[in-house]
Amino acid sequence: MTTARESLLDAAYAALSGRPWPFVRMVDVAAAARVSRQTLYNEFGSKDGLARALVRREVDRYLAGVRTVLTGPPPGDPAERLAAMAEWTARTACHNPLVRAVLTGCWGDRLPQPVRVVGGLPQAPYVPAQHRADVSLPSPVELLGQVRDLAAAALAAGRPAEEAQRLAGSCDVAVRLALSFVVAPAGSREVGRLVRRTLPAVSD
């Protein structure tokens, strides 16, 4: 069963696809989710809180997809799994402007500008404690590092240390190749083919 929170985030994402974030109205988001404005404010605190939660959800969904493709078949082929990860990254960023913005750090005028946390404190106006969990968002370097580490952990399982170390280098290359296709889109399948061709060279 969909919660009010998920319905509100779905409504906010749908609204963002139709107009720039500065013109998305809280009252319209609440109406689309079929909840009261008070419920919206109780859940997120403010429009900034809604924006942070929305970006956080999209990042979490992207990372969940990364985990899925890294643990999928074929289990013994690092090149195929890294290619799948790179294709997922390029495809998701192509269709999801929030994921693309977090991966690249390029936030256009149409998108919400999320608050970053430094030393545990928000760099923007005060955020109520109940909404503070939505504030922490990774920088592009941090997010790409998470993807690289997920890939390295998935591929290293059960392998000798020396081979696992070589594969970690391959993971870093695959993530960088995926990012290059996010910045300059050329088709998710193209990045997969490039990763497949490159992996043997970097893992030998």
Side-chain angles (χ1 to χ4, degrees):
M1 180 176 174
T2 304
T3 64
R5 182 181 181 86
E6 282 301 309
S7 294
L8 287 163
L9 291 173
D10 289 342
Y13 188 82
L16 180 60
S17 68
R19 64 183 72 94
W21 184 254
F23 298 104
V24 172
R25 301 191 310 161
M26 295 287 270
V27 64
D28 295 334
V29 171
R34 298 185 178 183
V35 302
S36 67
R37 268 195 303 172
Q38 190 58 52
T39 298
L40 174 53
Y41 281 102
N42 288 345
E43 192 67 49
F44 300 105
S46 66
K47 187 177 178 182
D48 286 342
L50 174 61
R52 288 188 296 271
L54 179 60
V55 177
R56 179 75 259 177
R57 183 186 74 164
E58 298 309 307
V59 169
D60 289 344
R61 285 181 168 182
Y62 161 66
L63 289 173
V66 168
R67 292 185 186 95
T68 297
V69 299
L70 285 171
T71 56
D77 191 336
E80 285 302 319
R81 287 200 276 173
L82 285 179
M85 178 275 296
E87 289 173 358
W88 168 254
T89 296
R91 186 168 59 251
T92 304
C94 177
H95 297 293
N96 191 319
L98 295 176
V99 171
R100 183 168 61 249
V102 178
L103 284 168
T104 63
C106 298
W107 297 85
D109 294 338
R110 295 185 58 87
L111 301 179
Q113 296 289 325
V115 177
R116 297 259 315 133
V117 171
V118 176
L121 298 173
Q123 291 182 292
Y126 174 75
V127 179
Q130 67 267 32
H131 306 296
R132 208 165 290 156
D134 294 328
V135 176
S136 182
L137 292 168
S139 69
V141 170
E142 291 165 345
L143 180 56
L144 291 167
Q146 289 179 42
V147 175
R148 179 200 61 222
D149 293 345
L150 285 170
L155 298 184
R159 298 178 184 275
E162 185 176 338
E163 184 181 357
Q165 188 172 5
R166 287 199 305 270
L167 283 171
S170 299
C171 294
D172 188 62
V173 170
V175 168
R176 291 173 186 273
L177 287 172
L179 180 61
S180 72
F181 276 71
V182 171
V183 173
S188 59
R189 290 186 179 180
E190 287 301 317
V191 69
R193 282 194 280 267
L194 183 58
V195 168
R196 291 182 188 93
R197 290 199 304 269
T198 304
L199 182 60
V202 297
S203 61
D204 287 341

